[in-house]
Amino acid sequence: MTTAKDIMHKGAQWISREETLARAAQLMRELDVGSLPVADENDRMCGIITDRDIVVKALGAGRDPAQTRCADLCEGTPRWVDASAGIDEVLQEMESHRIKRLPVIENKRLVGMISEADIAGHLADEQVAEFVERVYALT
């Protein structure tokens, strides 16, 4: 059975909720990623910050990225999947919540991220088409 750990991108990193958006953008550039899980003071995930969040919700709204904390943009319940979860569970989580990036947790620690590219690289064309239809469907 293919698991989340089999298809994830390894080496994901947290950013503290107290860090600024400027630091988040720098870290995204260094890691060549478009999102970072956000951790609270107990190293528990409290959200995800994306490059789009920084641009649209902060810069587009006139906020200063050097003064705005990651916590200021985190909203909703963070979604994640256990490293041992099967691909069907991964797809269900991403499709039902219409999310494009999913943190992978093992023993309460972040071990990777699953993105659209990871999905596309590990599934049959029909499965990828179904995923895209469900995640991007207009409601």
Side-chain angles (χ1 to χ4, degrees), residues 37-89:
V38 179
D40 66 15
E41 59 279 351
N42 298 313
D43 283 339
R44 299 199 62 140
M45 187 169 63
C46 59
I48 293 181
I49 187 101
T50 67
D51 48 7
R52 187 175 192 281
D53 291 334
I54 294 170
V55 172
V56 175
K57 295 178 182 176
L59 296 176
R63 294 172 115 176
D64 179 356
Q67 299 298 318
T68 306
R69 299 174 313 130
C70 291
D72 297 334
L73 295 190
C74 289
E75 51 190 50
T77 302
R79 310 305 309 177
W80 57 274
V81 68
D82 190 82
S84 64
I87 190 66
D88 290 338
E89 187 178 338

Side-chain angles (χ1 to χ4, degrees), residues 54-124:
I54 294 170
V55 172
V56 175
K57 295 178 182 176
L59 296 176
R63 294 172 115 176
D64 179 356
Q67 299 298 318
T68 306
R69 299 174 313 130
C70 291
D72 297 334
L73 295 190
C74 289
E75 51 190 50
T77 302
R79 310 305 309 177
W80 57 274
V81 68
D82 190 82
S84 64
I87 190 66
D88 290 338
E89 187 178 338
V90 170
L91 291 173
Q92 172 63 30
E93 187 69 19
M94 293 177 84
E95 291 171 359
S96 66
H97 297 284
R98 298 181 69 192
I99 55 177
K100 301 166 188 88
R101 299 169 179 110
L102 186 64
V104 179
I105 306 295
E106 185 174 54
N107 299 320
K108 298 184 180 181
R109 294 285 174 224
L110 178 70
V111 293
M113 290 283 282
I114 297 175
S115 69
E116 299 160 293
D118 299 317
I119 295 290
H122 290 86
L123 298 179

